[in-house]
């Protein structure tokens, strides 16, 4: 074998060895190579409503569309498919030193069901890519989520950008119910006091000594946010506990006693807030009786407290604090 042939033979062996020993890029290196100079994300906002752990009303509020394009003009109609690739979140965090949380694949979805058609001799689809909030049940309130999207084309087409990152700020509002007013008696109207709805009655007596007071009062309920998935159910119980009496007495700088037994009853203990509304379509009803049990010159207090029914998935929780209370005081004038 001549020297020239030997040199060529050795060079071929080196080339074969070089290619056979070349390692595949690790996922992080592959992503960095694929992104090139593309380093920013498209920012969006979305919101949802949560009731008892279930989320509804998933809404995309603002978005910016990304143009879906090919590297060159399409030779024929080309379909570009967009799919969410949650595996890229960890690589993105490493590349850009961020700490974006992981997401479930059902939490978001691409616009137009992830299908973008590019006509022959065109480079860009008529529709733009953006992300829609699909199911926020596994997401946290006031949290920014990274949503990586991969693009691929059929018919051998090559997309101009194969990976696009979106970020969505998600706001989740929990449904709650509160007492927002109710019926009045003569010149006594409910008003907000210490955070509760309060009815303060100064009641007189007729010539026979009978107390002139209401036989019943309606209590209206409101939701803190419109619930789109169905009606909300409000439930209530009466409360004449020592803790209620003592707390209100301290706040009012007045000594109150609890209502006597047998002078009150919650004759309608539930109400309904229709879907996509704020105020209840009906009311709770508190009835009074046996006014002879009240001593003139004494302040009396009782409460109606909103509660949740754990067996009813449409039972909305009461608002924390005093907003869950309707308070009633009687003072019989001497």
């Amino acid at each position: 074998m001549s020297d020239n042939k030997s040199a060529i033979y050795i060079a071929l062996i080196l080339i074969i060895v070089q290619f056979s020993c070349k390692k595949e890029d690790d996922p992080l290196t592959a992503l960095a190579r694929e992104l090139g100079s593309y380093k920013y994300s498209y920012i969006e906002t979305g919101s949802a409503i949560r009731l008892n752990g279930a989320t509804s009303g998933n809404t995309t509020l603002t978005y910016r569309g990304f143009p879906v394009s090919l590297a060159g003009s399409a030779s024929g109609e080309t379909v570009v498919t967009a799919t969410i690739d949650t595996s890229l979140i960890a690589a993105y965090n490493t590349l850009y030193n961020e700490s974006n949380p992981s997401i479930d694949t059902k939490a978001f979805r691409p616009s137009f069901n992830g299908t973008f058609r590019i006509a022959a001799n065109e480079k860009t689809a008529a529709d733009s890519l953006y992300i829609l909030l699909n199911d926020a049940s596994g997401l946290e309130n006031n949290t920014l989520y990274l949503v990586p999207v991969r693009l691929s084309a059929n018919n051998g087409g090559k997309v101009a950008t194969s990976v696009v990152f979106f970020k969505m700020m998600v706001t989740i509002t929990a449904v709650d119910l509160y007492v927002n007013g109710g019926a009045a008696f003569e010149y006594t109207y409910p008003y907000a006091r210490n955070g509760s709805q309060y009815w303060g009655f100064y009641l007189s007596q007729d010539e026979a000594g009978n107390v002139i007071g209401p036989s019943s009062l309606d209590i209206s309920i409101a939701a803190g946010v419109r619930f789109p998935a169905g009606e909300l159910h409000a439930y209530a119980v009466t409360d004449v506990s020592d803790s209620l009496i003592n707390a209100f007495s301290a706040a009012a700088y007045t000594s109150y006693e609890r209502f006597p037994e047998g002078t009150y009853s919650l004759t309608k203990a539930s109400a309904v807030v229709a879907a996509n509304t704020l105020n209840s379509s009906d009311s709770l009803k508190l009835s009074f009786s046996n006014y002879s049990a009240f001593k003139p010159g004494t302040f009396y207090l009782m409460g109606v407290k909103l509660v949740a029914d754990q067996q009813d998935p449409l039972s909305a929780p009461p608002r924390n604090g005093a907003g869950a209370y309707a308070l009633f005081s009687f003072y019989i004038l001497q």
Side-chain angles (χ1 to χ4, degrees), residues 36-263:
S37 60
Y38 177 77
K39 297 180 181 179
Y40 60 93
S41 307
Y42 285 76
I43 304 298
E44 302 185 10
T45 59
S47 68
I49 307 299
R50 179 169 290 162
L51 173 64
N52 299 326
T55 305
S56 61
N58 300 286
T59 304
T60 303
L61 300 174
T62 61
Y63 64 89
R64 177 184 172 189
F66 176 82
V68 177
S69 301
L70 299 175
S73 298
S75 57
E77 184 183 69
T78 302
V79 177
V80 176
T81 301
T83 56
I84 294 175
D85 187 350
T86 58
S87 68
L88 295 177
I89 295 176
Y92 183 100
N93 286 341
T94 302
L95 279 176
Y96 302 124
N97 193 30
E98 295 186 10
S99 55
N100 297 286
S102 59
I103 58 174
D104 188 274
T105 54
K106 68 179 182 179
F108 303 93
R109 59 185 173 89
S111 57
F112 302 101
N113 295 318
T115 301
F116 301 88
R117 300 186 181 278
I118 301 177
N121 301 318
E122 298 291 335
K123 291 183 62 176
T124 303
D127 299 321
S128 295
L129 169 66
Y130 51 92
I131 292 300
L132 296 167
L133 181 60
N134 185 61
D135 183 355
S137 58
L139 305 181
E140 297 295 330
N141 180 36
N142 287 333
T143 302
L144 186 65
Y145 288 95
L146 175 73
V147 187
V149 179
R150 281 196 176 274
L151 297 174
S152 60
N154 69 344
N155 296 334
K158 180 177 175 57
V159 292
T161 302
S162 57
V163 177
V164 185
F165 290 102
F166 293 85
K167 285 186 177 180
M168 181 179 287
M169 173 59 74
V170 177
T171 302
I172 301 174
T173 304
V175 177
D176 63 1
L177 296 176
Y178 63 94
V179 178
N180 75 325
F185 174 70
E186 293 186 341
Y187 299 106
T188 302
Y189 299 88
Y191 64 94
R193 182 173 180 181
N194 299 332
S196 303
Q197 286 293 314
Y198 173 75
W199 285 254
F201 294 93
Y202 289 84
L203 303 176
S204 60
Q205 304 176 59
D206 62 18
E207 294 180 354
N210 299 313
V211 175
I212 303 171
S215 60
S216 65
L217 291 169
D218 291 338
I219 307 168
S220 61
I221 308 301
V225 63
R226 299 177 191 274
F227 185 60
E231 64 184 25
L232 299 172
H233 299 162
Y235 297 94
V237 296
T238 56
D239 185 359
V240 290
S241 61
D242 289 340
S243 59
L244 173 68
I245 306 301
N246 294 337
F248 193 83
S249 295
Y253 300 101
T254 303
S255 179
Y256 284 84
E257 294 186 12
R258 64 176 62 216
F259 268 46
E261 290 290 337
T263 61

Side-chain angles (χ1 to χ4, degrees), residues 216-219 265-270 283-287 304:
S216 65
L217 291 169
D218 291 338
I219 307 168
S265 64
L266 196 55
T267 49
K268 186 174 184 300
S270 63
S283 302
L284 309 175
K285 183 179 289 293
L286 180 65
S287 297
V304 171

Side-chain angles (χ1 to χ4, degrees), residues 51-52 177 233-237 269-270 305-318:
L51 173 64
N52 299 326
L177 296 176
H233 299 162
Y235 297 94
V237 296
S270 63
K305 179 174 65 174
L306 295 179
V307 295
D309 183 346
Q310 302 300 327
Q311 305 303 314
D312 183 355
L314 292 176
S315 169

